[in-house]
Amino acid sequence: MSIVVKVEEKLYQNRYIVDESRPHIQIKSEEACKSCDRQACTFCCPAACYSKNETGGVTLVTDGCLECGTCRVVCQDKGNIAWDYPRGGYGISYKFG
């Protein structure tokens, strides 16, 4: 008999050290997000770091970012994501590999 473990439970085991003074992801232009017809980052990010806001734009919260780069891929045509790896000692530390 296998035990089913939810992804959220596994993600909870990871450790995140947030670099509040220098986030590794930034939205370059809020206006570009407002004019984006898909806003794919709001549903493609596995950590749900992106959400639609009340002004029609996108809000980014980097806490819990998995550093997978999905946001760069789905926003490739607009190029509106400034993404870099976190400084040493910051970011995610995976418990399960």
Side-chain angles (χ1 to χ4, degrees):
M1 179 174 170
S2 64
I3 298 173
V4 177
V5 179
K6 293 182 179 181
V7 171
E8 292 82 5
E9 292 174 12
K10 286 189 176 185
L11 290 175
Y12 182 75
Q13 299 293 322
N14 296 330
R15 188 178 63 138
Y16 305 92
I17 301 174
V18 179
D19 189 355
E20 293 179 12
S21 65
R22 197 179 95 187
H24 69 286
I25 307 172
Q26 294 179 344
I27 294 174
K28 294 178 183 177
S29 166
E30 183 66 31
E31 292 304 314
C33 288
K34 288 180 182 178
S35 66
C36 181
D37 57 341
R38 294 178 294 157
Q39 293 183 335
C41 58
T42 61
F43 55 87
C44 288
C45 176
C49 292
Y50 297 86
S51 60
K52 293 181 182 182
N53 60 34
E54 60 279 346
T55 64
V58 174
T59 301
L60 168 63
V61 178
T62 60
D63 301 4
C65 176
L66 301 175
E67 300 168 23
C68 65
T70 299
C71 55
R72 289 188 302 177
V73 174
V74 298
C75 190
Q76 198 169 14
D77 56 335
K78 298 250 185 218
N80 197 34
I81 302 293
W83 194 100
D84 199 4
Y85 286 104
R87 294 188 293 167
Y90 293 96
I92 188 168
S93 178
Y94 291 102
K95 182 172 182 176
F96 293 106

